Amino acid sequence: MVDRDETISCRAGVDSDSAHGSVMPPLYLSANYSFADFNEKREYDYTRSGNPTRSTLADAIAKLEGGAGAVITSSGMSAVDLVLAQLPQDALVIATHDCYGGSWRLFEARARKGQIRIQYANLRDADAVGAALAQQPALLWIETPSNPLMRIADIASLAKRAKATGAKVAVDNTFLSPVLQKPIALGADYVVHSTTKYLNGHSDVVGGAVVAAAAADAEELRWWANCTGVTGAPFDSWLTLRGLRTLHVRLERQQATAARVAARLSELPSVAVVHYPGLETHPDHELAARQQSGFGAMLSFELAAGADIRTLTRNLRHFALAESLGGIESLIAHPATMTHAAMSPEARRAAGIGDNLLRVSVGLEHPDDLIADLELALSHAVARAR
Ligand SMILES: *Cc1c(COP(=O)(O)O)cnc(C)c1O
């Protein structure tokens, strides 16, 4: 019998300690493990290569994503780079044009060194995708929902087309987590996470994960992670495992609040547009409803011409002006100067990221408090602009 996701998260490593019967899995900080004798290596020998605490987390995330295996990395960026390390020299990567700014910077930097070739395409444009895939890329990089505009790419259709040309497919699933989206079931070969976000969920760890659909790919990932030393620290894995236990209940509540915040913001004249896939006005609403099992807890919005953006963010009490997302605390970010500052102004414009855009990560505060806070700060922003 296959356990459901809530049960996988809750039970991972529970009551598995043979030494003392500790109910919660112990934290193994040891860098090394003794050999029983010559040629008698135990399951673990050195923590860069393998660690029991990290393995418990990796197994849980692999199960949640429906993959054959996973590697826990030191950050989301080292997870992205670990996927790139699987490619042969000079391989062509096609990436979504509105990918995470840090991924964009890494693709660009690896391309400048001649290690990969990179091209971007609007993955919602079938012709652009066709032209990109005609060049026989080695890898298609999908991120959906996109950051910060919450555009949705059709994973199943893209994976099918990419595979027909021999490309592998990677999906960055950070924004939804396996609770709300299962890319491997839709045809992905790799799923990448910044576990910094929803999987840990408490904004006190930076970490990442790569899940592989195929056992051979999982083995290769493990080999490279050990070889280059990008595996995550045991304490970080222990904290992330603790966060993972409440992933479902956190996301359920956070996305219910996000839906309310999005609905309220779209009623206000000081807001020009709200980008939230749960709104029927969102251009990809139907695809999101079909592909995801929920609309998530991230949204963004653009201020109307008569509102001052600085006055808004300065007057918010419950939204810290900060990067990152997916924690229990609500955050607001200004993509043009923060998350997407590493992108060139041209690339930002092409991706539709204007100076009046704000991105919100909705936390676990009471929805009425968050809405009241936004309404009051917006009224200041309008008064200031007058
Ligand atoms: C944060 C993030 C990353 C990078 O993860 P780090 O843990 O910050 O290194 C990659 N992709 C997405 C979508 C992210 O939000």
Side-chain angles (χ1 to χ4, degrees):
M1 212 173 75
V2 181
D3 287 334
R4 291 169 181 80
D5 289 355
E6 290 85 340
T7 311
I8 293 169
S9 300
C10 267
R11 300 296 308 179
V14 166
D15 198 15
S16 63
D17 169 39
S18 54
H20 302 290
S22 72
V23 171
M24 295 319 286
L27 164 57
Y28 288 94
L29 288 169
S30 187
N32 45 1
Y33 297 81
S34 64
F35 284 61
D37 205 338
F38 289 176
N39 289 321
E40 279 186 47
K41 184 170 111 57
R42 303 181 207 263
E43 186 173 356
Y44 298 98
D45 58 358
Y46 188 57
T47 275
R48 167 161 41 73
S49 330
N51 172 280
T53 309
R54 202 168 60 224
S55 293
T56 305
L57 176 65
D59 290 350
I61 294 177
K63 274 192 195 150
L64 290 173
E65 288 287 4
V71 170
I72 302 302
T73 57
S74 58
S75 69
M77 288 321 305
S78 56
V80 177
D81 209 33
L82 182 59
V83 175
L84 297 185
Q86 309 305 302
L87 300 172
Q89 176 80 22
D90 207 34
L92 175 62
V93 178
I94 304 289
T96 181
H97 71 137
D98 49 10
C99 65
Y100 175 68
S103 302
W104 181 86
R105 178 175 55 197
L106 176 62
F107 296 147
E108 291 293 304
R110 289 283 181 216
R112 272 200 306 276
K113 291 274 186 197
Q115 290 154 345
I116 58 167
R117 286 174 295 134
I118 180 75
Q119 276 185 29
Y120 304 94
N122 178 355
L123 299 187
R124 294 157 71 246
D125 176 341
D127 293 339
V129 170
L133 291 177
Q135 302 170 76
Q136 308 246 306
L139 181 71
L140 175 66
W141 190 270
I142 302 174
E143 191 182 318
T144 180
S146 74
N147 178 15
L149 294 177
M150 311 297 140
R151 296 287 196 256
I152 312 295
D154 188 333
I155 300 173
S157 148
L158 287 165
K160 198 167 158 208
R161 293 180 68 186
K163 284 187 169 167
T165 70
K168 289 240 186 188
V169 176
V171 176
D172 185 330
N173 203 23
T174 298
F175 267 45
L176 289 177
S177 93
V179 170
L180 300 180
Q181 179 165 272
K182 306 266 195 211
I184 288 176
L186 299 168
D189 299 290
Y190 300 107
V191 177
V192 171
H193 278 285
S194 167
T195 57
T196 312
K197 317 295 167 56
Y198 288 103
L199 295 187
N200 177 58
H202 293 73
S203 303
D204 48 14
V205 173
V206 170
V210 186
V211 184
D217 287 340
E219 201 42 56
E220 277 293 295
L221 289 170
R222 276 192 283 268
W223 190 91
W224 278 98
N226 175 48
C227 178
T228 58
V230 296
T231 44
F235 185 52
D236 290 354
S237 289
W238 185 82
L239 281 172
T240 304
L241 193 56
R242 193 183 212 259
L244 192 70
R245 310 229 182 259
T246 55
L247 176 63
H248 289 77
V249 284
R250 280 188 281 112
L251 256 178
E252 223 167 81
R253 175 61 69 91
Q254 283 172 255
Q255 80 169 347
T257 304
R260 282 195 53 193
V261 169
R264 182 63 189 133
L265 284 176
S266 40
E267 290 168 357
L268 299 174
S270 48
V271 174
V273 56
V274 180
H275 304 283
Y276 182 65
L279 294 174
E280 276 172 30
T281 50
H282 188 280
D284 304 324
H285 173 70
E286 275 172 35
L287 173 57
R290 187 168 75 238
Q291 173 164 280
Q292 306 168 192
S293 44
F295 297 112
M298 294 296 298
L299 60 96
S300 60
F301 64 98
E302 276 162 50
L303 285 190
D308 183 64
I309 192 165
R310 279 238 160 91
T311 308
L312 168 65
T313 53
R314 283 177 186 158
N315 279 281
L316 287 168
R317 288 171 56 227
H318 296 318
F319 296 82
L321 180 66
E323 298 192 355
S324 198
L325 59 115
I328 48 96
E329 80 292 8
S330 286
L331 300 173
I332 196 158
H334 184 231
T337 58
M338 296 166 66
T339 51
H340 290 64
M343 272 169 104
S344 67
E346 303 79 60
R348 258 201 315 269
R349 248 192 312 278
I353 302 165
D355 291 342
N356 249 355
L357 182 77
L358 290 166
R359 187 190 77 181
V360 176
S361 173
V362 176
L364 281 174
E365 302 87 348
H366 196 287
D368 293 346
D369 290 341
L370 294 181
I371 289 169
D373 194 29
L374 283 163
E375 284 176 349
L376 186 62
L378 276 164
S379 70
H380 286 302
V382 173
R384 175 60 198 252
R386 270 205 198 102

Coordinates of all heavy atoms in Angstrom, one line a residue, residues 74-78 80 100 103 143 147 172 174-175 192-197 206-208 324-325 359, ligand 1:
S74 N 23.3 22.0 -0.7 CA 23.6 23.1 0.3 C 22.7 24.3 0.0 O 22.5 25.2 0.9 CB 25.0 23.6 0.2 OG 25.3 24.0 -1.2
S75 N 22.1 24.5 -1.2 CA 21.2 25.6 -1.5 C 20.4 25.2 -2.7 O 20.7 24.2 -3.4 CB 22.0 26.9 -1.7 OG 22.7 26.7 -3.0
G76 N 19.4 26.0 -3.0 CA 18.7 25.8 -4.3 C 19.6 26.0 -5.4 O 19.5 25.3 -6.4
M77 N 20.5 27.0 -5.4 CA 21.4 27.3 -6.5 C 22.3 26.1 -6.7 O 22.6 25.8 -7.9 CB 22.2 28.5 -6.3 CG 21.3 29.8 -6.4 SD 20.1 29.8 -7.8 CE 21.1 29.4 -9.2
S78 N 22.8 25.4 -5.7 CA 23.7 24.3 -5.9 C 22.9 23.1 -6.5 O 23.4 22.3 -7.2 CB 24.5 23.9 -4.7 OG 23.7 23.6 -3.6
V80 N 20.4 23.6 -8.7 CA 20.3 24.0 -10.1 C 21.6 23.6 -10.8 O 21.6 23.0 -11.9 CB 20.0 25.5 -10.3 CG1 20.0 25.8 -11.8 CG2 18.7 25.9 -9.6
Y100 N 13.7 32.2 -12.3 CA 14.3 32.8 -11.1 C 15.6 33.6 -11.4 O 16.4 33.1 -12.2 CB 14.6 31.7 -10.1 CG 15.3 32.2 -8.8 CD1 14.6 33.0 -7.9 CD2 16.6 31.8 -8.5 CE1 15.2 33.4 -6.7 CE2 17.2 32.1 -7.4 CZ 16.5 32.9 -6.5 OH 17.2 33.3 -5.3
S103 N 18.8 31.7 -11.1 CA 19.0 30.7 -12.1 C 19.5 31.3 -13.4 O 20.4 30.8 -14.0 CB 17.8 29.9 -12.3 OG 17.3 29.3 -11.1
E143 N 10.1 26.5 -15.1 CA 9.7 27.0 -13.8 C 8.3 27.4 -13.8 O 8.0 28.3 -14.6 CB 10.7 28.1 -13.4 CG 10.6 28.5 -12.0 CD 11.6 29.7 -11.7 OE1 12.7 29.7 -12.2 OE2 11.1 30.6 -11.0
N147 N 8.2 33.3 -11.6 CA 8.5 34.3 -10.6 C 8.9 35.6 -11.3 O 9.8 35.6 -12.1 CB 9.7 33.8 -9.8 CG 10.2 34.7 -8.7 OD1 9.5 35.6 -8.3 ND2 11.4 34.4 -8.2
D172 N 11.6 23.4 -11.9 CA 11.9 24.0 -10.6 C 10.5 24.1 -9.9 O 9.6 24.9 -10.4 CB 12.5 25.4 -10.8 CG 12.9 26.0 -9.5 OD1 12.2 25.8 -8.5 OD2 13.8 26.8 -9.4
T174 N 9.8 24.9 -6.8 CA 9.9 25.6 -5.5 C 8.7 26.3 -5.1 O 8.3 26.3 -3.9 CB 11.1 26.6 -5.6 OG1 12.3 25.9 -5.8 CG2 11.2 27.4 -4.3
F175 N 8.0 26.9 -6.0 CA 6.8 27.8 -5.7 C 5.6 27.0 -5.2 O 4.7 27.6 -4.6 CB 6.5 28.7 -6.9 CG 7.1 30.0 -6.9 CD1 8.5 30.1 -6.6 CD2 6.4 31.2 -7.2 CE1 9.1 31.3 -6.5 CE2 7.0 32.4 -7.1 CZ 8.4 32.5 -6.8
V192 N 13.6 20.2 -9.2 CA 14.6 21.0 -8.4 C 13.8 21.8 -7.4 O 12.7 22.3 -7.6 CB 15.4 21.9 -9.3 CG1 16.2 22.9 -8.5 CG2 16.3 21.1 -10.2
H193 N 14.3 21.9 -6.1 CA 13.7 22.7 -5.1 C 14.8 23.6 -4.4 O 15.9 23.1 -4.2 CB 13.2 21.8 -4.0 CG 11.8 21.3 -4.3 ND1 10.7 22.1 -4.2 CD2 11.4 20.1 -4.7 CE1 9.6 21.3 -4.6 NE2 10.0 20.1 -4.9
S194 N 14.4 24.8 -4.1 CA 15.0 25.5 -3.1 C 14.2 25.1 -1.8 O 13.1 25.6 -1.6 CB 14.9 27.0 -3.3 OG 15.3 27.7 -2.1
T195 N 14.8 24.2 -1.0 CA 14.1 23.8 0.2 C 14.0 24.9 1.3 O 13.3 24.9 2.3 CB 14.8 22.6 0.9 OG1 16.2 22.9 1.1 CG2 14.8 21.4 -0.1
T196 N 14.8 26.0 1.0 CA 14.8 27.3 1.8 C 13.3 27.7 1.9 O 13.0 28.4 2.8 CB 15.6 28.3 1.0 OG1 16.8 27.8 0.6 CG2 15.8 29.6 1.8
K197 N 12.5 27.5 0.9 CA 11.2 28.0 0.8 C 10.2 27.1 1.5 O 10.3 26.9 2.6 CB 10.9 28.3 -0.7 CG 12.1 28.9 -1.5 CD 12.5 30.3 -1.1 CE 13.8 30.7 -1.6 NZ 14.0 30.7 -3.1
V206 N 19.0 27.6 4.5 CA 19.2 27.7 3.1 C 19.5 26.3 2.6 O 20.5 25.7 3.1 CB 20.2 28.7 2.7 CG1 20.6 28.6 1.2 CG2 19.7 30.1 3.0
G207 N 18.8 25.8 1.7 CA 19.0 24.4 1.2 C 18.4 24.1 -0.1 O 17.6 24.9 -0.6
G208 N 18.7 23.0 -0.7 CA 18.1 22.6 -2.0 C 18.0 21.1 -2.1 O 18.4 20.3 -1.3
S324 N 13.2 36.0 -0.7 CA 12.8 34.7 -0.2 C 11.2 34.6 -0.1 O 10.5 35.6 -0.4 CB 13.4 34.3 1.1 OG 13.3 32.9 1.2
L325 N 10.8 33.4 0.2 CA 9.3 33.2 0.2 C 9.1 31.8 0.9 O 10.0 31.1 1.2 CB 8.8 33.1 -1.2 CG 9.5 32.0 -2.1 CD1 8.5 31.0 -2.5 CD2 10.1 32.6 -3.3
R359 N 5.9 41.6 -5.1 CA 5.6 40.2 -5.0 C 5.3 39.9 -3.5 O 6.0 40.4 -2.6 CB 6.8 39.4 -5.4 CG 6.5 37.9 -5.5 CD 7.8 37.1 -5.7 NE 8.6 37.0 -4.5 CZ 9.7 36.4 -4.4 NH1 10.3 35.9 -5.5 NH2 10.4 36.3 -3.3
Ligands
LIG1 C1 15.1 30.7 -4.0 C2 14.9 30.0 -5.3 C3 16.0 29.4 -5.9 C4 17.4 29.4 -5.3 O1 17.4 28.8 -4.0 P1 18.4 29.2 -2.9 O2 18.0 28.3 -1.8 O3 18.2 30.6 -2.5 O4 19.8 29.0 -3.4 C5 15.8 28.7 -7.1 N1 14.6 28.7 -7.7 C6 13.5 29.4 -7.2 C7 12.2 29.3 -7.9 C8 13.7 30.0 -6.0 O5 12.6 30.7 -5.5

